[in-house]
Amino acid sequence: MSLKTVRPEAVDRIEPRINRRNFVKLASAAGAAALLPAPAWAEDPSTTVPAAAPALEMAKFPEKTDLILLTDRPPQLETPLKYFATDITPNEAFFVRWHLSGIPTSVDLATFKLNIGGHVESPLGLSMEDLKQFEQVSVVAVNQCSGNSRSLFEPRVAGGQWQNGAMGNARWTGVRLRDLLAKAKVKPGAVDVTFQGLDRPVLPATPVFIKSLAFDHANDGEVIVAYAMNEKPLPMLNGFPLRLIVPGWYATYWVKSLSEINVLGEKFHNFWMDKAYRVPNNPEDEESPKDLAKETVPISKMLVRSLFTSPEPGGTMQWLGTEDAPPNVEGIAFDGGSGIKKVEISLDGGVTWQEADLGPDLGKYSFRRWKHPWRTIHKGKHTLKVRATANDGRTQRAEQNWNRSGYARNMIETLEVTVV
């Protein structure tokens, strides 16, 4: 089972910790770069931007360590690679991605309610204490932005130029969405379920951010409403006080500061489902720059990926090992929920491949760590490659799966490193 029951006392008492004044004050401390106006595409999804790789700027926001800054309004913060050296990504280093500039900076839990309505017999307004009366469950799952690694696409595409850090792995704790829907007594004929948070657009023309899942998916027992992250309350920037967790699917569905759930007796349509976050209708989410796909579908399940965490990209390393104790090449692998079957490493630019050792299995939705000893090392430049194969047989491609939005990268990763 991917979900398991945990003791209620395992989660700290949840309290609001950031008011608006402190949020603005601390965010301003990020430096001059954080005070620049946000690009138009950050608030208005219909606006495109020049596709250019950004210079790295670091910023420190409330409850966060120094992260790579893409924009400050709305906050888009990338996790540095070093924080993927462990199975669980620390809360303070977890990436941040909001679509709308009007994000919540404080929540009064004394009055907060999670409202559940629509195609139900018993609409609900649940307080945090009400939610704690349901069975508590947890799941370790990767939360990955659809556009993670967009800056690596060639030819380049518009949008936030993420490197590989628009993701993280955490233990999410809360209640099954299925249990909440059962309490609301869903009427026969339910088709979709919609989810909305406390964030709001600043520009009148910007669509309110609402996402939907098919009712059968929402009711499958694996989707949860989380109030804790790594056994602590959710950070404000990661969706305090509640966040939808859709294991195996891209982060666009993981609605933050969740406040409204509505069951519908018909298919849901809006900008964020019908126009944004769509990919070509094929297994690799792929199209050609010269021949764009005519048919697209909402992005959904994550494709299989593997990444290097050590050595780091573009760096140099010293030979400090011996034949008996060589240094390890290390990294992570994950997919959309079948789990990782194997990871293969090439230390000679793809000429030969060797199977890496897999680390502990924290569940089919989690990072799976891997490592491999580097015995044939010599001074000079080296080209390393890594590819993962999932239990469903899917693997990473030798060529890039390009699409116009820069989504769902699953190309074999290449690492250039110089040994001195």
Side-chain angles (χ1 to χ4, degrees):
M1 294 290 290
S2 299
L3 295 177
K4 67 178 183 179
T5 303
V6 296
R7 300 187 308 276
E9 60 268 24
V11 179
D12 296 338
R13 179 175 175 82
I14 297 176
E15 299 290 349
R17 297 167 307 289
I18 302 177
N19 60 36
R20 183 172 182 83
R21 178 177 298 177
N22 287 339
F23 182 93
V24 174
K25 180 179 178 181
L26 290 171
S28 297
L35 298 178
L36 295 174
W41 58 264
E43 172 73 14
D44 183 352
S46 66
T47 303
T48 58
V49 296
L56 294 185
E57 306 250 16
M58 304 301 291
K60 189 169 185 177
F61 277 63
E63 300 180 292
K64 294 293 179 181
T65 188
D66 289 323
L67 299 179
I68 300 167
L69 176 70
L70 272 71
T71 64
D72 74 306
R73 193 183 74 247
Q76 297 190 92
L77 309 171
E78 179 172 344
T79 301
L81 193 63
K82 64 182 180 181
Y83 292 107
F84 301 137
T86 57
D87 292 313
I88 300 296
T89 310
N91 287 7
E92 64 272 17
F94 211 92
F95 89 102
V96 174
R97 195 316 188 208
W98 291 83
H99 297 84
L100 306 178
S101 294
I103 68 171
T105 56
S106 64
V107 178
D108 183 359
L109 295 188
T111 59
F112 174 80
K113 299 283 186 182
L114 173 62
N115 297 308
I116 303 176
H119 195 69
V120 300
E121 294 181 3
S122 302
L124 303 174
L126 300 172
S127 67
M128 294 301 296
E129 291 301 320
D130 293 333
L131 288 168
K132 293 176 185 178
Q133 305 310 307
F134 291 84
E135 182 182 10
Q136 191 178 85
V137 296
S138 68
V139 62
V140 179
V142 177
N143 177 228
Q144 180 185 209
C145 178
S146 307
N148 192 27
S149 311
R150 182 183 284 123
S151 67
L152 305 178
F153 275 61
E154 290 292 344
R156 290 193 178 277
V157 297
Q161 296 298 300
W162 302 100
Q163 298 181 84
N164 289 329
M167 64 177 183
N169 193 44
R171 181 179 301 277
W172 309 94
T173 300
V175 301
R176 296 182 185 90
L177 177 59
R178 180 177 64 189
D179 294 345
L180 301 182
L181 296 175
K183 182 73 172 179
K185 299 179 181 178
V186 175
K187 297 177 182 178
V191 175
D192 275 357
V193 183
T194 66
F195 307 90
Q196 182 178 353
L198 296 172
D199 51 326
R200 295 292 183 268
V202 173
L203 301 177
T206 303
V208 174
F209 188 74
I210 302 175
K211 296 293 289 190
S212 70
L213 295 174
F215 175 77
D216 287 347
H217 184 185
N219 200 46
D220 67 3
E222 293 201 314
V223 178
I224 71 174
V225 174
Y227 44 69
M229 178 178 173
N230 296 330
E231 300 187 357
K232 296 180 180 179
L234 290 161
M236 184 69 69
L237 285 172
N238 292 117
F240 179 86
L242 297 174
R243 182 169 195 170
L244 190 71
I245 307 301
V246 188
W249 281 38
Y250 287 99
T252 179
Y253 297 95
W254 296 43
V255 175
K256 295 180 289 297
S257 297
L258 180 65
S259 60
E260 300 284 339
I261 299 174
N262 278 290
V263 181
L264 304 180
E266 58 188 8
K267 190 70 178 175
F268 177 70
H269 295 282
N270 78 343
F271 172 85
W272 298 102
M273 295 300 299
D274 294 343
K275 300 212 178 272
Y277 286 102
R278 295 181 71 89
V279 290
N281 188 15
N282 58 64
E284 303 297 337
D285 300 341
E286 181 181 28
E287 61 189 341
S288 167
K290 297 180 180 179
D291 184 20
L292 297 180
K294 305 299 187 294
E295 182 182 359
T296 63
V297 294
I299 196 169
S300 56
K301 186 179 291 188
M302 293 189 294
L303 301 184
V304 62
R305 291 201 70 182
S306 59
L307 297 168
F308 292 97
T309 58
S310 178
E312 292 199 19
T316 59
M317 61 177 290
Q318 287 184 296
W319 168 251
L320 299 176
T322 67
E323 285 297 319
D324 294 328
N328 284 323
V329 179
E330 300 183 28
I332 53 176
F334 59 96
D335 79 327
S338 72
I340 297 301
K341 179 180 181 180
K342 65 179 179 180
V343 172
E344 297 169 289
I345 299 298
S346 175
L347 303 175
D348 53 15
V351 177
T352 62
W353 293 85
Q354 305 168 61
E355 197 161 330
D357 295 324
L358 296 180
D361 186 351
L362 301 184
K364 64 183 182 180
Y365 296 117
S366 171
F367 280 164
R368 189 78 183 269
R369 297 205 53 73
W370 58 264
K371 65 180 180 180
H372 187 75
W374 194 356
R375 298 185 183 278
T376 58
I377 196 170
H378 58 268
K379 291 184 178 180
K381 293 184 178 180
H382 295 261
T383 300
L384 282 58
K385 292 179 178 288
V386 61
R387 65 187 180 202
T389 301
N391 286 320
D392 62 6
R394 301 190 69 175
T395 189
Q396 290 172 263
R397 298 159 48 96
E399 299 82 23
Q400 180 177 266
N401 60 318
W402 190 92
N403 56 67
R404 73 194 81 174
S405 299
Y407 291 154
R409 177 179 170 90
N410 85 324
M411 185 179 178
I412 290 173
E413 294 296 335
T414 299
L415 175 66
E416 304 288 348
V417 62
T418 300
V419 179
V420 296

